[in-house]
Amino acid sequence: MVATPTQAPPLRSHLSESLKSLPGSSQLSLYTLITPARKHIGLFPYTSLSQSSPLRSKILQQEFLILVAQSPVEDATQSVFVSGIEAVLYSIPCNSSSILYISKVDSTGQTVAGCGSPTRPLVKALIDYFVSPITRPTRNMRVQLFARAQNQYLFPDSSLHMEKRVLTDVKLCRWWKDVLTNISVTTEEFWERMGFRQECTLNAVTGFFVVDHLLDASPSPPVNDNASPSEVAARGTVPTAMLARISSSLQNLDFGSTERAIEATKVLTESIKGLCAGLGSGGSGGSEDDFYGEHVPTSMIVRNPPRLMKVTNSNMTQKNGEASGDGVQTPAPVQVNVLQARKKKRPAVTG
């Protein structure tokens, strides 16, 4: 008996479930913006096959922007964006394969006192959604990212806020290795090739992470291979140009202080709502009036025990999960092997 493909739940619902166990009491607002799948030709730029070749596989691209705002339960006017993810899904229908590329992950450090940051559970939930046999868009799934420490990726000037702790390059790679528990260390041959690249010669540690999830040919667990990737992952999409405009607006805001971050959050959320007005017709699903509320934001109030704390020599408010930056107690740090980049030998100078 052949198993019936299972209907995948919306991504927004899956992500919101991951936030319900956050430490502390706060009000959370999750914004999930997804573009429709469109043809993409730049994933394999060095292929010798021409664009018109029948042997060249069709590739579809979808973009994701996920933002989480947090505020005290009793005062929603103090809502501030605290976590964000930018990702791209590349789907290759001919061999039922997809690549989830996580391009940016950032936080502002402005979580409500006594509460945990949504960043780690949000990232894990996103990856889980696309690798789970029930919700993945294709049978074969790869998660890929490039980890490089920066002051901020999504929230401008957020590193100026005293509560944001920017992870060092080693700690960032350790954070990702902890999130992606099955990552192996890069090979000697890889470093021999990469040792001369700018990213790897600036006395900094960078990380290349790849996780492959393959399903065998058995009919269980079922995957909806008959549906296109856009049908599985893009219920309630927004136009690509709109998402680009929202991302551009985000980069023009200021999260350097609590007051400016509150104002920036208000400006962006009102902009998103305004841009979504009128969507719903033209195949996006829902009416013009309910598209925004049905597909973009979802809010919840969490009431859990406060985050775990530990006493330090300097103060008593140090987060127990400092290396992860998420305010949740974490296990012992995962060992990260730091390999030295090879320096190119200069030829001997002869007289």
Side-chain angles (χ1 to χ4, degrees):
M1 181 177 180
V2 178
T4 303
T6 301
Q7 182 76 7
L11 174 62
R12 188 183 71 164
S13 299
H14 183 83
L15 296 177
S16 64
E17 283 294 319
S18 71
L19 302 178
K20 293 181 179 180
S21 59
L22 278 180
S25 297
S26 66
Q27 181 168 319
L28 298 166
S29 296
L30 169 69
Y31 295 82
T32 307
L33 296 159
I34 310 173
T35 66
R38 67 184 188 275
K39 188 176 180 180
H40 180 72
I41 61 174
L43 187 59
F44 303 111
Y46 301 111
T47 179
S48 59
L49 298 175
S50 66
Q51 297 295 332
S52 59
S53 172
L55 299 178
R56 183 159 183 157
S57 300
K58 178 183 178 181
I59 300 174
L60 302 175
Q61 172 185 335
Q62 283 185 286
E63 295 165 301
F64 298 78
L65 178 62
I66 302 164
L67 301 169
V68 177
Q70 188 179 50
S71 68
V73 173
E74 65 279 0
D75 190 359
T77 63
Q78 301 298 304
S79 181
V80 174
F81 281 127
V82 291
S83 300
I85 304 174
E86 189 177 274
V88 184
L89 177 69
Y90 299 100
S91 300
I92 309 173
C94 69
N95 60 7
S96 191
S97 299
S98 297
I99 301 172
L100 176 67
Y101 175 63
I102 303 177
S103 55
K104 296 178 183 178
V105 175
D106 200 7
S107 64
T108 63
Q110 301 183 45
T111 55
V112 174
C115 297
S117 167
T119 306
R120 178 188 292 262
L122 197 67
V123 171
K124 284 190 172 183
L126 177 67
I127 296 172
D128 177 70
Y129 183 87
F130 283 103
V131 303
S132 171
I134 301 301
T135 51
R136 66 173 60 183
T138 53
R139 296 190 67 84
N140 304 315
M141 192 72 211
R142 166 173 288 186
V143 180
Q144 189 162 335
L145 60 99
F146 172 60
R148 181 175 60 179
Q150 295 285 349
N151 287 341
Q152 59 256 331
Y153 274 106
L154 288 173
F155 302 110
D157 295 329
S158 57
S159 62
L160 300 178
H161 196 278
M162 62 180 181
E163 293 298 325
K164 179 170 182 176
R165 292 191 302 276
V166 179
L167 297 183
T168 64
D169 45 14
V170 174
K171 286 186 176 181
L172 179 63
C173 289
R174 180 181 294 133
W175 188 91
W176 274 112
K177 190 173 182 181
D178 183 55
V179 171
L180 305 170
T181 55
N182 296 322
I183 293 298
S184 59
V185 182
T186 51
T187 65
E188 184 73 11
E189 179 183 0
F190 176 80
W191 275 104
E192 186 171 355
R193 293 173 177 269
M194 295 301 299
F196 304 113
R197 290 185 60 88
Q198 181 180 4
E199 298 92 337
C200 304
T201 57
L202 298 178
N203 198 28
V205 176
T206 55
F208 298 81
F209 295 94
V210 177
V211 180
D212 285 326
H213 290 261
L214 309 177
L215 289 182
D216 56 30
S218 62
S220 180
V223 175
N224 193 352
D225 274 338
N226 294 323
S228 69
S230 59
E231 291 176 306
V232 175
R235 299 183 187 90
T237 58
V238 300
T240 302
M242 179 186 294
L243 184 60
R245 182 173 176 181
I246 293 172
S247 298
S248 177
S249 298
L250 177 58
Q251 293 306 307
N252 292 323
L253 298 174
D254 185 349
F255 291 85
S257 70
T258 301
E259 293 74 19
R260 294 196 295 270
I262 291 174
E263 179 62 24
T265 300
K266 181 180 178 180
V267 168
L268 190 64
T269 53
E270 290 180 351
S271 176
I272 293 173
K273 185 175 182 179
L275 289 171
C276 288
L279 292 181
S281 57
S284 294
S287 68
E288 293 186 0
D289 296 330
D290 64 12
F291 176 88
Y292 174 78
E294 184 177 348
H295 297 292
V296 181
T298 183
S299 298
M300 71 194 78
I301 293 178
V302 295
R303 298 183 186 274
N304 298 314
R307 68 186 181 191
L308 298 175
M309 315 293 288
K310 73 175 181 179
V311 178
T312 65
N313 293 332
S314 57
N315 57 67
M316 297 181 63
T317 59
Q318 183 81 20
K319 290 184 178 180
N320 209 7
E322 179 181 12
S324 66
D326 58 10
V328 180
Q329 185 176 19
T330 56
V334 179
Q335 180 65 34
V336 176
N337 295 326
V338 180
L339 304 180
Q340 298 296 326
R342 295 186 175 214
K343 294 184 178 179
K344 191 173 182 179
K345 294 183 179 180
R346 296 179 179 273
V349 180
T350 60

